[in-house]
């Protein structure tokens, strides 16, 4: 459900969906780890000022394509949080 908190004096409204993220994680069967990972891959620092140096991925991607089932899983996860990001937390969109 959607929760609205109207602040007429300061002229804004706070919109929230209490429990959406925790319910989505439960529905997607996400397990918490002892050591959380906040990035999907290791960070490669940017080298500023280097001419004629391409700063793309360090090695070509040779991973196999996903199966149809795994593709649907990724689409479900992305869609769940894209809906949340568009409606409530646009800071998630650039990620």
């Amino acid at each position: 459900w959607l929760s609205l908190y109207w602040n007429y004096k300061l002229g804004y409204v706070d919109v929230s969906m209490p429990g959406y993220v925790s319910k989505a994680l439960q529905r997607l069967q996400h397990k918490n780890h002892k050591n959380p990972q906040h990035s999907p891959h290791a960070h490669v620092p940017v080298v500023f000022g280097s001419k004629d140096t391409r700063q793309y991925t360090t090695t070509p991607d040779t991973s196999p394509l996903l199966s149809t089932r795994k593709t649907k899983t990724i689409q479900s996860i992305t869609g769940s949080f894209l809906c949340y990001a568009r409606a409530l937390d646009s800071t998630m969109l650039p990620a």
Side-chain angles (χ1 to χ4, degrees), residues 41-48 50 53-56 58:
H41 52 81
H43 174 70
V44 177
V46 177
V47 180
F48 294 101
S50 298
T53 303
R54 294 193 176 147
Q55 298 181 29
Y56 301 127
T58 53

Side-chain angles (χ1 to χ4, degrees), residues 49-64:
S50 298
K51 300 255 185 216
D52 301 324
T53 303
R54 294 193 176 147
Q55 298 181 29
Y56 301 127
T57 178
T58 53
T59 58
D61 183 14
T62 59
S63 57

Side-chain angles (χ1 to χ4, degrees), residues 4-6 9 16 23-25 29 34 42 45 49 58-59 67-68 76 82 85 88 93:
L4 302 173
Y5 171 73
W6 294 91
K9 189 180 280 187
S16 66
K23 287 179 185 175
L25 292 174
Q29 300 173 355
K34 287 196 306 188
T58 53
T59 58
S67 66
T68 305
S76 174
L82 181 60
L88 300 172
L93 293 175

Side-chain angles (χ1 to χ4, degrees), residues 16 22-23 31 35 45 58 61 65-66 69 73 80-81 95:
S16 66
S22 59
K23 287 179 185 175
K31 296 178 183 77
N35 299 322
T58 53
D61 183 14
L65 295 177
L66 293 176
R69 184 173 154 263
T73 301
S80 295
F81 290 102

